[in-house]
Amino acid sequence: MFELSVKAAQDHVGAGEWRKGRPYVAGLSALSAQPDGGAVTLSGWARGQERYRVQANLQGGQVAGAHCSCPVGDEGGCKHVAALLARAAEAPGDFETLPDLDVTLSGMGAADLRALVRRLLRRAPELTRLVVAGGTGTGLAGQVQAAFAQVVYDPEEDWEGEGPDLDEVWTLTEELTRLSETPGAEPQAVLNAAVALLDGAAELQDDDYGVELHDLAAPARSALLRLLARDLSEDVRSSAHDALQEATAEFGWSAAELAQEEQAGLFAALPAEDRALILGFLQGLTDAEGRDYRRRELARTLAVLGQLGAGEVTPEAEIALARAAGDREGLVRLLLAQGRTGEAVAALTEGSRPAAPQEVEAPFRDYGLLDTLETYARTNLRVYGARAWLYGHYRAAGRDPEAHALALDALLNGTGDHPDLTSFFLPRDLDWLASLKAVSPDWPADRERLIEHWAKRAANLGRLVLFLLNEGLGERALSVLRRHKADPVRVLGPHIATRLALALPAEQAKPLLLQAATAHIQGRGRKHYADAAGALRSAAPLLGHDEVRSAARLFVQEYPTLRALKEELVRAGLLSAGPPNARLH
């Protein structure tokens, strides 16, 4: 039996939650008290919007900790915990007292314990690795288990997609790396800690919600590879291979991890028999894998490790590793170091997209082969970034005529593909108009050539008009639109049409301005009315104040039911409302 005072229970949750929990006291079910040495764990189920598992740990008549599975129960201070503690303080006899766990286990013989463990493993086979590794909860393995036990994460509540907080676990992976690198470290301790890390990650991982923790498998796998390079008992060696295989089945094993964790060298240092075993289970997992992406990933890893069969990281193995990991710059550097320039250039077009010169400029520069990269860029101008790199290369070398021809061609014929993914690792494309101006020996002549080229197709009208406006050629822009019999507002929209009107003489500007303001008004809504009023007001210096006020009055007469339009015209100072309001200045 346990003892808990009402004061101790209330002190734990506070008066507010205590009051909130009172309605839930009677509805608690499956109440139990589990003694464990000097502590007692109280358990039960509470009913709210759903059924919630509630637990509290008592020590010395005080509440040492609590937890509830409800959305706010992580800290153990919710109304459901309050209800459990109130029931325990007021009616301890309602709790079924379970046998003390230590007493129960101590009274069991070895055969009974083994049978119990087997029954538990049949219900929870994911615990097998923990049992094989020694089942220890001490040392680094115990710390890893405790760190995972403190992680409370519900993917359904993770609206931001941040994933679980694993800072403490990651700190312990550094300890695992140090332990596995220590020559005198106990092999069983290394194995136990690596298995505890893999078990914790596997239990927390949730494919349905996109919770992927394969990154945590990397330090565990590296530790197991270091362990296998040592003199081990047959049991530990077998368990290490089992853990390595199960980690690969659960989390995969990428060539990128081989490179980032320097696992190729660790694999090459293993005895031949261990390398053969690893290659064997990798081949088996690859053959059995039903997911295409995972099968390709394992195949790349298998190909890289297969290059290490001789027990050393050969140059060919390094190249295979860089290629499998998608490290284009590293692959190019390795090939250039071996004088294989043709293969390095060919590698630039491998994969799903050709390489931009910016990605591989460093190794080509280091080996004095920028001319080779220039040739690649010239022959692959449609590759995103190639033209921009080549322009900068020409400018840096003082080759402005070539830069001029390149920029002019970009504006006349386009600059190539611009896949969205490039925005993550390449600079934005150049402003080719500004780039052309910077190297143009005769800008008026170049400008005329662009105007003539863009004017040939109606699809280019919007771009051409903006260009002409920026060049201060408003009347030329209107002439182009008239030649194509194009409606300025339809082609440009009311905002740009207003800008065009303001660049024209007054007699040409007025009808276009009224048309643009009408288009704004027909958009309906206060924002559009404010835009119409702003367009009229901006024309006052060109048309005169009286003219724009007259236009405002005409719009009110044409749209007498649009009260918000009149209010915006008044706000702009174009109309008076009763006594003199804001005036146009």
Side-chain angles (χ1 to χ4, degrees), residues 277-289:
L277 285 172
I278 292 173
L279 291 175
F281 79 67
L282 267 176
Q283 184 65 66
L285 288 173
T286 302
D287 293 342
E289 180 57 61

Side-chain angles (χ1 to χ4, degrees), residues 335-359:
L335 291 168
L336 292 179
Q338 297 181 32
R340 296 156 66 174
T341 305
E343 291 181 61
V345 173
L348 300 183
T349 56
E350 292 178 1
S352 59
R353 61 169 186 83
Q358 293 93 327
E359 297 177 81

